[in-house]
Amino acid sequence: MSLLDIRVPAVLLRIDRNPFHHGTLGAVRSLGRAGVEVHVVADCAGSPVRRSRFVRRLHPPPAPGASPAEIVAVLRRVAARIGRPAVLIPMDDASAITAGRFRADLAPAYLLPQQSGTLPERVADKAELAGVCAAAGIPHPTTLVPDSTEETAAAVRRLGLPVIAKWSRPWLLPAGSGLRSTAVVRSAREAVELYLRSEEAGSRLLLQEFLPPGPDRDWFFHGYADRTGQVRAGGPGRKQQAWPRGAGLTAVGLWTPNPQVRALAERLTGELGFRGIFDLDFRRCGSTGRYHLLDFNPRPGAQFRLFADSAGLDVVRALHLDLTHRPLPDGVPLAGRAFVVENYAPLSALRPAPRGRELAWSAPDDRGPGLAMWALWGRHVAGRILDRLRAGTADRTPHPYAPVVRQAGEPLVPAAQAAEPLVPAARDEEPTGVAGVPGVSSLSGQPDRSDDEKASSC
């Protein structure tokens, strides 16, 4: 008998159009295996997610550039088809912000955590996050938001080079602009050139202190804050491999006890009164040893399945249990458990995992997505290579605006590195070494399809 109330379906909403978002598949499997009817509102036309046997039905997503009202209208149509209340699970920041803003409009068709409707937007906005951390006493890289070209140059001088340049609401970046959500800036001139494109970008440019990467410096915490504010499920994890290397999504993560990271996560969510699923990214400063919060994502992180405990509880199941007034089981943390995104780290997927491991795409009880992923990946890589050969752009010299993290759209296939292959990066996961995430307006705004997420964002 399932611990979850299988009479209540779940609706996964993702506005971002990256087809290789493995977090969506993780949520489909987690709930589907427990017997919950899972509906997906996302662009899955070219996604391995559509091959999962645990998907009850795929629903058309909001059109690109859809307004919040249009997104709500799509969700209402889905609710009418389902015919009974469902747990709504936003899978990207734009979705989480829309759900928070319009919670009252979506009820009673959808069950959502009760909290301030503006809180998801506040913590997701990169410019707002610095103030949130300052108010809560959480370490955060020094962040400056210039209001002129002169202030931009002065900020670079104050922070020192290199510096991190970020758009506060990256999903508003217009398609085809060439603008990237996050970049390493190596001169004041580069920073000023970016600032001059602020109107085009649709949100503020911020400049941030660069925290150098290093061994065991990149950490994350996934959790669920229940209706009382207690943090349940999830835990602290260490990023062992990233894609792109040193600055991207988690390719290999390890469940690693860390009382300091847990204490920071619990303190921040407690002071904010946050309710629901959250994903925090930290970087440890090599000189001070302090853990700086880089991102607060008000939704599941792509690697949330790393934290499935001995009772099978993860943050998505915790949300469903709590919103349907079911008790959450007390499981034992499985320290040392690994999560591997096999298309980014194939060798790691083949190595022994004595304390257990979950793969992002491949699963013995749901083989379709894994097979589909490799087929789609092969075609995608071949197409990219042909395009580059035709365009004569085989030069692998790093671009001066090389992104620290991918943040939207269809995955970019980077140049091959060592034994780990290239693959479309997803945008669910924010950068190592940088901060924050989006806000709202036209919530479906998509950056250049070749500049995808962080990722890790069907």
Side-chain angles (χ1 to χ4, degrees):
M1 179 178 177
S2 177
L3 288 171
L4 280 67
D5 188 343
I6 62 174
R7 299 170 299 175
V8 181
V11 173
L12 309 183
L13 172 65
R14 209 188 65 258
I15 296 172
D16 168 50
R17 294 191 170 240
N18 189 328
F20 290 92
H21 185 247
H22 51 274
T24 300
L25 179 60
V28 167
R29 285 173 170 167
S30 177
L31 296 170
R33 285 168 176 154
V36 174
E37 180 181 308
V38 182
H39 295 255
V40 179
V41 183
D43 181 10
C44 291
S47 171
V49 174
R50 68 181 297 112
R51 296 287 302 276
S52 175
R53 70 184 185 89
F54 296 112
V55 173
R56 175 61 63 91
R57 183 169 180 176
L58 296 169
H59 301 266
S67 68
E70 290 169 330
I71 295 169
V72 170
V74 168
L75 288 173
R76 284 176 173 162
R77 287 195 293 271
V78 172
R81 293 191 191 107
I82 295 173
R84 60 192 189 279
V87 172
L88 179 61
I89 307 176
M91 295 303 299
D92 59 15
D93 297 298
S95 301
I97 292 168
T98 302
R101 278 186 172 188
F102 296 94
R103 182 181 180 280
D105 299 271
L106 293 169
Y110 292 102
L111 308 180
L112 285 160
Q114 293 188 9
Q115 65 178 345
S116 166
T118 60
L119 187 53
E121 181 175 3
R122 182 181 171 208
V123 298
D125 188 299
K126 295 176 185 289
E128 295 287 338
L129 186 63
V132 167
C133 289
I138 303 294
H140 181 74
T142 303
T143 301
L144 303 175
V145 184
D147 286 326
S148 66
T149 55
E150 291 78 11
E151 287 188 15
T152 301
V156 170
R157 290 194 296 272
R158 175 180 167 185
L159 294 170
L161 293 170
V163 67
I164 301 298
K166 308 160 79 169
W167 300 107
S168 65
R169 298 181 174 187
W171 64 59
L172 299 182
L173 294 174
S177 68
L179 291 170
R180 294 182 163 90
S181 63
T182 305
V184 177
V185 171
R186 304 188 183 280
S187 72
R189 179 179 176 180
E190 290 179 12
V192 169
E193 288 174 349
L194 284 175
Y195 175 81
L196 292 173
R197 302 183 70 181
S198 295
E199 184 175 353
E200 178 187 2
S203 65
R204 293 178 289 176
L205 178 73
L206 41 101
L207 300 175
Q208 192 171 85
E209 171 191 9
F210 177 76
L211 296 179
D216 299 332
R217 290 189 186 178
D218 291 314
W219 293 75
F220 47 86
F221 188 96
H222 293 207
Y224 173 72
D226 68 17
R227 68 179 71 120
T228 70
Q230 182 180 357
V231 174
R232 308 290 301 274
R238 181 163 47 90
K239 186 178 293 191
Q240 289 192 306
Q241 292 184 40
W243 188 265
R245 292 192 172 176
L249 60 85
T250 300
V252 180
L254 195 69
W255 192 340
T256 308
N258 189 320
Q260 290 176 271
V261 169
R262 174 175 287 278
L264 289 171
E266 292 178 344
R267 189 167 93 223
L268 180 58
T269 54
E271 294 211 10
L272 290 172
F274 187 86
R275 301 290 184 271
I277 299 173
F278 61 91
D279 164 26
L280 308 179
D281 291 321
F282 294 88
R283 172 161 284 183
R284 181 174 59 82
C285 177
S287 58
T288 67
R290 303 175 77 200
Y291 291 89
H292 289 69
L293 180 66
L294 305 179
D295 298 297
F296 191 130
N297 305 304
R299 40 75 181 167
Q303 74 274 26
F304 79 90
R305 280 292 301 166
L306 169 63
F307 303 106
D309 66 18
S310 63
L313 187 68
D314 59 35
V315 295
V316 166
R317 289 187 177 185
L319 171 73
H320 195 284
L321 286 165
D322 193 42
L323 294 183
T324 56
H325 299 274
R326 293 265 178 137
L328 276 64
D330 294 319
V332 176
L334 302 179
R337 187 171 189 263
F339 183 85
V340 179
V341 187
E342 60 270 38
N343 48 345
Y344 302 131
L347 297 183
S348 295
L350 297 173
R351 295 186 184 111
R355 300 201 176 185
R357 172 178 56 213
E358 180 156 336
L359 300 180
W361 297 104
S362 304
D365 64 339
D366 190 30
R367 297 184 181 277
L371 296 173
M373 184 277 295
W374 286 114
L376 290 167
W377 171 82
R379 290 201 295 271
H380 183 89
V381 171
R384 287 286 184 174
I385 291 173
L386 286 174
D387 287 345
R388 289 185 177 186
L389 290 174
R390 289 169 186 154
T393 56
D395 183 7
R396 298 182 181 183
T397 303
H399 189 282
Y401 292 132
V404 172
V405 67
R406 311 282 183 215
Q407 183 91 25
E410 178 184 335
L412 171 68
V413 180
Q417 298 181 25
E420 302 293 0
L422 345 126
V423 87
R427 127 164 110 133
D428 161 326
E429 200 158 313
E430 274 291 310
T432 36
V434 250
V437 191
V440 178
S441 187
S442 174
L443 288 167
S444 303
Q446 294 295 322
D448 191 324
R449 299 285 290 178
S450 67
D451 176 38
D452 63 294
E453 124 319 347
K454 181 182 156 204
S456 21
S457 301
C458 167

